[in-house]
Amino acid sequence: MSNKKSYKKSDEPSNAPSNTKQASFRRRALIGGCAAIAVAFAAGVGIATGTGTGTSSAEEADRPLKVPANSSGADGTLIAYGDSKAGTTIKVYEDLRCPYCGEFERKLGPTLKDMVDSGKVRVEFHLAAFLDKSLGGQGSKTSLAALGAALNESPDKFRSFHSVLFANQPAKETDDDFGSTANLLELADRVPGLRTPSFNKAVKEKTYAPWADKVADVFYDSDVTGTPTVKADGKKLTVIGENGKAVSPKDFTRQVDAAVAAE
């Protein structure tokens, strides 16, 4: 995938705080996204941020780490979906506010889910929150924490809510609708059985915000330089074309099949 159609992370700024991984990575949206941000600041226009119920950033910082059920790896930062015995692992790197990630999920997500459900592959999701730094707001982190609450319910609830979020991204990446827990709970209504008392409480109180920070830290430590990035057993797949649109399901399936055959 061309870097022209992805979100990139730049070099670490010399004055970045050494004790904060998120602060040491400045991410920028190339082409339309970056231009939109530049125009907004040049015009003296602030980036919109969502509002809603939930804890403050200070309260989140003091909260102990709580790891969702059904996660694995160090600090529960690995989010896997599918049969662990599947021969091929697809790693998907995304930010929930990234419009190109939304393009990938809306066009190719159902195809990938069919592959997982058939036992051909398993998926590992590696989610980031860098667009909060680039665009302002808390939408990436707050929605990631809400996904943690869904994962705590079940992997299937996580996968369904993940799809709902990408299908209902804000109209503009500068909008921070996902920063509102009220909006996230409304979207959760679209996943049958998700709105349990424990889920509602965890979203409202941002119980999994510290976990979301850990998940984002793992993303920053990876060698991935843009989103969406999709790898099949380490081989990068082309999922977004030069025109900024997702490749066809047929093309995507061909690439995955080639990776499976190489096993």
Side-chain angles (χ1 to χ4, degrees):
M1 180 184 66
S2 167
N3 286 338
K4 291 182 179 180
K5 298 298 182 183
S6 66
Y7 282 88
K8 299 279 291 177
K9 66 185 178 186
S10 68
D11 293 336
E12 178 176 346
S14 59
N15 61 346
S18 59
N19 64 340
T20 306
K21 288 181 180 292
Q22 289 192 10
S24 70
F25 284 90
R26 289 179 181 268
R27 306 284 292 215
R28 70 184 186 276
L30 301 184
I31 308 301
C34 187
I37 297 170
V39 169
F41 282 118
V45 178
I47 301 298
T49 58
T51 58
T53 60
T55 57
S56 68
S57 297
E59 290 172 324
E60 290 171 22
D62 293 335
R63 174 169 294 162
L65 174 67
K66 183 172 182 179
V67 175
N70 306 304
S71 62
S72 58
D75 292 325
T77 55
L78 180 60
I79 306 168
Y81 178 75
D83 189 347
S84 61
K85 297 179 181 179
T88 299
T89 297
I90 305 293
K91 294 186 177 182
V92 179
Y93 297 81
E94 301 171 313
D95 188 303
L96 285 150
R97 291 177 70 180
C98 168
Y100 297 114
C101 298
E103 171 73 10
F104 162 70
E105 286 292 344
R106 289 188 291 272
K107 301 294 179 59
L108 301 177
T111 301
L112 182 56
K113 183 178 184 299
D114 287 344
M115 293 179 184
V116 173
D117 290 346
S118 70
K120 179 189 291 188
V121 303
R122 78 191 288 262
V123 178
E124 291 180 1
F125 293 98
H126 300 269
L127 300 173
F130 62 79
L131 285 177
D132 288 348
K133 296 292 183 182
S134 299
L135 303 174
Q138 300 180 357
S140 294
K141 178 181 174 180
T142 303
S143 55
L144 175 50
L147 275 178
L151 181 62
N152 191 64
E153 297 294 322
S154 75
D156 286 339
K157 292 292 193 298
F158 165 87
R159 188 68 179 94
S160 295
F161 193 36
H162 175 273
S163 297
V164 166
L165 290 176
F166 276 114
N168 293 277
Q169 283 182 316
K172 299 178 181 178
E173 63 264 41
T174 51
D175 293 340
D176 196 37
D177 293 358
F178 283 175
S180 165
T181 56
N183 288 344
L184 293 171
L185 287 170
E186 184 176 342
L187 289 172
D189 282 330
R190 306 187 187 193
V191 179
L194 180 56
R195 291 289 304 271
T196 65
S198 61
F199 173 83
N200 293 341
K201 184 175 186 292
V203 173
K204 290 177 181 178
E205 298 181 359
K206 300 184 182 180
T207 300
Y208 296 105
W211 170 81
D213 283 334
K214 293 287 186 180
V215 173
D217 283 349
V218 172
F219 179 97
Y220 299 139
D221 285 340
S222 74
D223 61 355
V224 170
T225 58
T227 58
T229 290
V230 180
K231 297 181 179 181
D233 287 339
K235 181 180 179 181
K236 188 175 179 179
L237 307 181
T238 298
V239 295
I240 302 293
E242 290 288 342
N243 61 356
K245 301 298 183 182
V247 301
S248 68
K250 182 178 180 180
D251 185 5
F252 179 61
T253 300
R254 176 189 59 77
Q255 294 182 68
V256 174
D257 285 346
V260 172
E263 285 295 306

